[in-house]
Amino acid sequence: MLDTSVVLSGLKLDNPVIPASGTFGYGNEFREFYDINVLGSFSFKGTTREPRFGNPTPRIAECTAGMINAVGLQNPGIEAVIAEELPRLRTFFHKPVIANISGFSVEEYAYCCERIDREEQVGLIEVNVSCPNVRHGGMSFGTSPEAAAEVTRAVKAVTTKPVYIKLSPNVTDIVAIARACEEAGADGICLINTMLGMRIDMQRRRAVIANTMGGFSGPAIFPVAVRMVYQVAQACSVPVIGCGGVQSARDVIEMMMAGATAVEVGAANLVNPYASKEIVEALPAEMERLGIERLSDIIGVVA
Amino acid sequence: MYRKGLYRILENEPLTASVWRMRLAGDTQWITAPGQFVNIAIDGLYLRRPISVCDCDAQTLTLVYKVVGEGTARMSRMAPGTELDLLTGLGNGFSTGVATQRPLLVGGGVGVPPLYNLARRLLAEGKPVQVVLGFNTAAEVFYEEEFRALGCDVTVATADGSRGVEGFVTTAIARCGLDFDYFFACGPLPMLRALSEATAQPGQLSFEERMGCGFGGCMGCSCKTKYGSKRICKEGPVLAKEEVVW
Ligand SMILES: Cc1cc2nc3c(=O)[nH]c(=O)nc-3n(C[C@H](O)[C@H](O)[C@H](O)COP(=O)(O)OP(=O)(O)OC[C@H]3O[C@@H](n4cnc5c(N)ncnc54)[C@H](O)[C@@H]3O)c2cc1C
Ligand SMILES: Cc1cc2nc3c(=O)[nH]c(=O)nc-3n(C[C@H](O)[C@H](O)[C@H](O)COP(=O)(O)O)c2cc1C
Ligand code: FES
């Protein structure tokens, strides 16, 4: 009997496959395609204290083996998520969900995490520290070990559920930031978020994206994600959720061998709405092919 | 409701130097309103390409597309028999359930195709249909005869005057004194805006935006309206004239 289950800080998942934040909304659009209960869990759209419209359009640009997005955290705000999205989600998703939280100040992170922590359906809180810190010149919290640790401490002080910090790859030393989060009490690390990228419309001689730059993701970033997951898993003792460019069961297994306990699937869901489901379904055959009986056995086998 | 499925190319042929028509066979049951679109996966390109449904029946659908970049260029080279992976039934489409006795359909360039199935539906409801088609020049004109064959009253406008009325669709509407109580439009943004400003009548307009998914999953295509933000791919591409924030 093949065993695909994994455990994230006490939260048991039937399988390690988790649609990544921002590529799965609050589940509504994907339930029209399939029963999303086949997933390990999913991470809902990055949620902030206030409702946000996000950036001007165009927000999307195509790249070789990937895409750039500059959505700008469009979301209905934490109160609407609690009052509308979670009650609706409960009617069609019967597993714990991962709450992805964003903020523009330490207080906003703490406020949102404290609110969402009380929601029964939330199994784990994923704190996206890639957002700009408005009080410090807009520099992202995720680019400094001190700022990332400060957010971690503030969130841990007001929550009871596992808190994972989702890191940006746009840094010089990912290990220093992951370690700082672990020391500040993070229960786990999730990485990577998108890589900063840009495309130019040569006819119009201007950037394709209205915001000029945006987050690059998709299969092109997979090797970077595997490398960063490996580095962080080597340096930290808390579990790691691997993310970035995953589009097959083989990619999931590779990410786990690098050190990930669970694996998120992002942009792949957008180009193939069945991507995550197909990965879940392909896992057993791939495990068999590689002689894996218990998926959790391979976490970090590459030393 | 929307679905993903495989569709086989029946025909793929040029209508003008850069505009092609592709007919595909497959499950069309999810296409429920004129003005909805499909999102086409193209081998070797990461994102799907959104194209409006020009017409459909129980087994086939017709797309009319302009070659503007890599994706549409690859489409134009696809041979009959090729299978394409499509998401169908996307977007809200035009609503014909509005109080109109004398509808006017206004299309600009590749905004013309989605009006074809709309015209068929309005005619089936027993309404006389007037159509204004705008192009840059005579060589770019397509579907004039197709609309006429349906029984529409067709006016063509070209920017350079090489065919029909010289000027934009708004020039043609004014010059021909077209009498209508409601309009449906699809075309470039400046055309939609000019039309909206030039008309006192209510109407529906179909918009374009760059898309990550086409089914509401990524928030890549949002726009502001008087009733809050809407996703062009999900609550659009068709918006009511009165809700548009220009
Ligand atoms: C709802 C909707 C319906 C459409 N219906 C039609 C139609 O019936 N006929 C037709 O000819 N065209 C239509 N378009 C425009 C069509 O999607 C683009 O021309 C096409 O995507 C260009 O692809 P490309 O690879 O050739 O161009 P490239 O410029 O190489 O494409 C690069 C990227 O930009 C995107 N893109 C480029 N232009 C547009 C555009 N105008 N709108 C949205 N995305 C764009 C592409 O999808 C791709 O992701 C429609 C667009 C939308 C949003
Ligand atoms: C359209 C889009 C929106 C995203 N929004 C968020 C978000 O709100 N919060 C977040 O933490 N990550 C967000 N991400 C990042 C993804 O969750 C993921 O970390 C990244 O895309 C890398 O994975 P991928 O290569 O599989 O897409 C977004 C990504 C995309 C493509
Ligand atoms: S294109 Fe993804 S939400 Fe509209």
Side-chain angles (χ1 to χ4, degrees):
Chain A
M1 208 17 215
L2 296 175
D3 181 3
T4 58
S5 69
V6 295
V7 181
L8 288 172
S9 311
L11 180 68
K12 184 168 177 184
L13 308 182
D14 295 337
N15 63 69
V17 181
I18 303 170
S21 178
T23 65
F24 215 73
Y26 297 90
N28 300 308
E29 293 74 24
F30 287 85
R31 67 178 290 221
E32 282 199 44
F33 287 110
Y34 64 91
D35 177 1
I36 67 170
N37 288 290
V38 300
L39 303 167
S41 178
F42 81 88
S43 178
F44 67 51
K45 174 66 194 172
T47 297
T48 52
R49 183 163 50 195
E50 311 300 334
R52 284 175 58 85
F53 172 72
N55 293 325
T57 56
R59 297 175 173 181
I60 304 286
E62 186 178 58
C63 308
T64 304
M67 63 183 279
I68 293 176
N69 90 84
V71 169
L73 289 171
Q74 179 174 1
N75 78 92
I78 188 96
E79 295 310 326
V81 168
I82 289 169
E84 288 155 37
E85 296 298 344
L86 290 182
R88 177 163 44 205
L89 180 61
R90 215 165 290 141
T91 65
F92 60 85
F93 188 57
H94 314 300
K95 293 180 172 183
V97 70
I98 297 179
N100 185 286
I101 297 295
S102 278
F104 297 88
S105 67
V106 174
E107 296 75 37
E108 184 177 354
Y109 279 111
Y111 175 85
C112 293
C113 291
E114 186 176 10
R115 292 285 284 121
I116 213 71
D117 188 59
R118 289 182 232 143
E119 292 303 310
E120 205 186 315
Q121 202 172 0
V122 171
L124 189 149
I125 300 171
E126 185 178 271
V127 181
N128 169 17
V129 290
S130 301
C131 320
N133 179 351
V134 287
R135 238 170 270 153
H136 287 85
M139 227 203 13
S140 150
F141 287 96
T143 55
S144 115
E146 294 75 29
E150 194 188 347
V151 172
T152 308
R153 267 192 302 275
V155 169
K156 278 300 288 177
V158 293
T159 50
T160 58
K161 296 194 168 146
V163 171
Y164 280 48
I165 308 297
K166 182 167 174 185
L167 301 183
S168 161
N170 306 313
V171 297
T172 41
D173 188 353
I174 193 79
V175 167
I177 294 166
R179 274 219 189 100
C181 293
E182 182 178 22
E183 278 159 26
D187 299 288
I189 303 290
C190 173
L191 79 171
I192 60 177
N193 210 312
T194 53
M195 302 182 72
L196 201 55
M198 176 174 172
R199 292 302 308 271
I200 290 166
D201 180 333
M202 287 176 283
Q203 216 98 50
R204 297 194 174 88
R205 302 188 179 195
R206 61 174 193 231
V208 172
I209 299 265
N211 238 26
T212 308
M213 290 172 265
F216 178 38
S217 72
I221 73 167
F222 182 68
V224 178
V226 171
R227 182 265 295 179
M228 288 192 159
V229 164
Y230 173 78
Q231 286 179 305
V232 168
Q234 291 288 310
C236 296
S237 53
V238 291
V240 172
I241 301 179
C243 177
V246 172
Q247 51 178 5
S248 67
R250 288 180 70 80
D251 293 345
V252 168
I253 292 172
E254 186 169 341
M255 198 71 108
M256 292 181 74
M257 288 185 171
T261 297
V263 177
E264 293 189 357
V265 180
N269 296 301
L270 305 177
V271 293
N272 173 12
Y274 293 97
S276 293
K277 175 180 191 270
E278 288 171 3
I279 291 173
V280 170
E281 288 166 352
L283 264 178
E286 206 53 61
M287 287 167 65
E288 213 145 358
R289 207 164 298 146
L290 292 164
I292 302 164
E293 230 168 80
R294 217 167 48 180
L295 204 46
S296 57
D297 288 345
I298 61 155
I299 298 167
V301 288
V302 175
Chain B
M1 288 292 276
Y2 37 80
R3 281 294 186 286
K4 178 170 170 297
L6 284 179
Y7 294 76
R8 192 167 39 83
I9 300 177
L10 299 173
E11 292 160 26
N12 190 21
E13 63 210 1
L15 298 176
T16 71
S18 62
V19 173
W20 291 63
R21 175 169 56 195
M22 182 184 278
R23 271 203 334 124
L24 297 139
D27 182 2
T28 58
Q29 66 171 308
W30 309 102
I31 304 167
T32 53
Q36 285 185 317
F37 65 99
V38 299
N39 215 359
I40 309 173
I42 296 173
D43 269 351
L45 297 181
Y46 194 66
L47 296 177
R48 290 171 182 267
R49 297 301 190 265
I51 301 288
S52 303
V53 174
C54 170
D55 199 15
C56 80
D57 59 30
Q59 283 95 35
T60 70
L61 63 121
T62 305
L63 310 175
V64 172
Y65 61 95
K66 183 172 181 172
V67 175
V68 298
E70 187 56 32
T72 46
R74 287 189 194 194
M75 281 174 65
S76 72
R77 293 194 292 267
M78 291 174 179
T82 308
E83 292 219 310
L84 279 180
D85 168 344
L86 261 58
L87 301 178
T88 67
L90 303 176
N92 59 353
F94 292 108
S95 163
T96 56
V98 288
T100 167
Q101 295 311 313
R102 296 184 311 285
L104 174 69
L105 278 49
V106 186
V110 282
V112 169
L115 302 179
Y116 184 75
N117 185 257
L118 174 65
R120 281 217 302 142
R121 299 219 191 187
L122 289 168
L123 289 163
E125 290 172 17
K127 290 167 183 158
V129 175
Q130 304 177 85
V131 182
V132 177
L133 307 177
F135 299 94
N136 288 315
T137 183
E140 292 180 7
V141 176
F142 64 89
Y143 262 52
E144 180 183 359
E145 287 318 314
E146 279 80 353
F147 277 99
R148 249 188 214 119
L150 287 180
C152 301
D153 177 2
V154 183
T155 306
V156 169
T158 51
D160 67 359
S162 53
R163 182 171 184 94
V165 176
E166 177 175 350
F168 300 121
V169 292
T170 42
T171 328
I173 293 169
R175 183 130 352 128
C176 302
L178 296 180
D179 176 32
F180 59 99
D181 60 5
Y182 197 92
F183 72 86
F184 298 90
C186 184
L189 197 62
M191 181 202 99
L192 297 179
R193 187 170 185 164
L195 182 67
S196 191
E197 282 164 2
T199 49
Q201 294 88 337
Q204 294 170 30
L205 307 107
S206 182
F207 291 85
E208 283 185 357
E209 193 46 81
R210 297 221 172 204
M211 294 183 174
C213 67
F215 54 87
C218 73
M219 310 309 273
C221 65
S222 298
C223 71
K224 286 181 178 158
T225 75
K226 289 193 183 134
Y227 309 120
S229 75
K230 292 195 170 184
R231 292 164 293 188
I232 291 295
C233 72
K234 183 92 175 162
E235 291 84 29
V238 178
L239 301 179
K241 177 184 164 184
E242 44 99 17
E243 69 179 316
V244 177
V245 177
W246 294 102

